[in-house]
Amino acid sequence: MKNVKIAPSILSADFSKMGEEVRSLETCGADVVHCDVMDGVFVNNITFGIKMVEDIRKHTTLPLDCHLMIVHPEKYVERFAKAGADIITVHWEACQDNLKEVLELIKSTGVKCGAVINPDTPVDKIRDVITLCDMVLVMSVFPGFGGQKFIPSALDKLREIRAIIDASGKAIDLEIDGGVTAENVEEIKAAGANVIVAGSAVFKAEDRAATIAKLKA
Ligand code: DX5
Ligand code: ZN
């Protein structure tokens, strides 16, 4: 299996002590910090924005994976890049026909780019841009909240996208986000995901390091 990276989602962290939370992730063996940016319009929840990313940046050297669940992501890409994002992912549902342009805009700021699809969006919608991406993100819950149940149809999408990535010969990451647990992580990896987002599974665990190790093993 490819090298698997664990990306805890700070959506499930204690926002009042985010610096400490992020440092703890690094100590506990996380590979990436997954930052869920929500605007209350694209999704029915509000989290944080550019300033949080800028402040987190000072607390970790881990890559910051900024998952933008916002309308008009193109308006904010440059500022997230400047704030210290290492990769910015944008939803097909937010960009639609402009997805390719938004991905190119992200690249032009010097950070990695990724396309995201919701559980009810077919792979076909992003097929043409997959090989332009540094990462593809398959949502296995409808975005908005942590702690939801994994939607199994995401596994078929992972297999389909993994085949496209492998055929391309490019080093494109395949990320899964939503409802990942120690119980279902094996089949998720077997389906081709190599970047594993886990929010509640990590933050609700008594032993974060052991949970991260288990997800990675
Ligand atoms: C959902 C977010 C996810 C979420 C995952 O909108 O994009 O990153 O935090 O949380 P869990 O792992 O608890 O499903
Ligand atoms: Zn996310």
Side-chain angles (χ1 to χ4, degrees):
M1 186 63 212
K2 313 199 154 37
N3 82 69
V4 170
K5 294 177 254 189
I6 306 301
S9 161
I10 55 170
L11 177 61
S12 295
D14 181 340
F15 283 27
S16 70
K17 48 174 189 178
M18 196 57 97
E20 201 180 304
E21 294 279 57
V22 167
R23 290 196 303 276
S24 140
L25 293 179
E26 190 158 352
T27 312
C28 292
D31 302 288
V32 173
V33 177
H34 184 81
C35 304
D36 283 312
V37 176
M38 303 184 188
D39 65 355
V41 181
F42 182 71
V43 288
N44 200 19
N45 198 5
I46 301 176
T47 54
F48 53 77
I50 296 151
K51 176 73 161 61
M52 179 67 94
V53 172
E54 193 181 327
D55 288 353
I56 290 171
R57 182 72 286 168
K58 298 167 193 149
H59 289 270
T60 183
T61 57
L62 292 177
L64 301 180
D65 163 24
C66 294
H67 174 194
L68 302 189
M69 288 160 276
I70 63 176
V71 294
H72 296 299
E74 69 280 0
K75 284 197 200 166
Y76 302 99
V77 157
E78 257 182 89
R79 287 160 68 194
F80 276 103
K82 232 183 226 147
D86 293 277
I87 177 158
I88 296 174
T89 64
V90 290
H91 274 258
W92 175 82
E93 298 80 11
C95 305
Q96 304 217 357
D97 291 347
N98 294 325
L99 181 57
K100 183 168 181 270
E101 285 68 34
V102 182
L103 292 168
E104 282 165 351
L105 173 69
I106 298 170
K107 292 292 263 189
S108 76
T109 67
V111 309
K112 294 181 175 176
C113 71
V116 192
I117 47 172
N118 273 347
D120 58 354
T121 299
V123 173
D124 265 346
K125 298 289 187 191
I126 57 162
R127 194 177 298 277
D128 292 348
V129 300
I130 289 177
T131 55
L132 303 175
C133 292
D134 297 291
M135 182 164 79
V136 176
L137 167 51
V138 172
M139 292 305 299
S140 41
V141 299
F142 284 91
F145 298 91
Q148 303 182 72
K149 202 170 172 293
F150 184 84
I151 299 172
S153 56
L155 294 170
D156 283 333
K157 288 190 197 172
L158 288 177
R159 284 187 272 266
E160 196 177 343
I161 298 169
R162 170 52 64 193
I164 296 168
I165 292 173
D166 287 351
S168 78
K170 294 189 172 172
I172 301 166
D173 283 322
L174 181 53
E175 182 176 51
I176 187 84
D177 185 5
V180 177
T181 64
E183 284 67 49
N184 62 18
V185 73
E186 266 327 304
E187 55 177 347
I188 289 167
K189 289 189 233 173
N194 71 307
V195 181
I196 313 289
V197 177
S200 41
V202 169
F203 282 94
K204 290 216 170 86
E206 270 180 37
D207 186 341
R208 288 181 189 175
T211 303
I212 290 170
K214 210 167 168 190
L215 290 170
K216 208 191 284 203

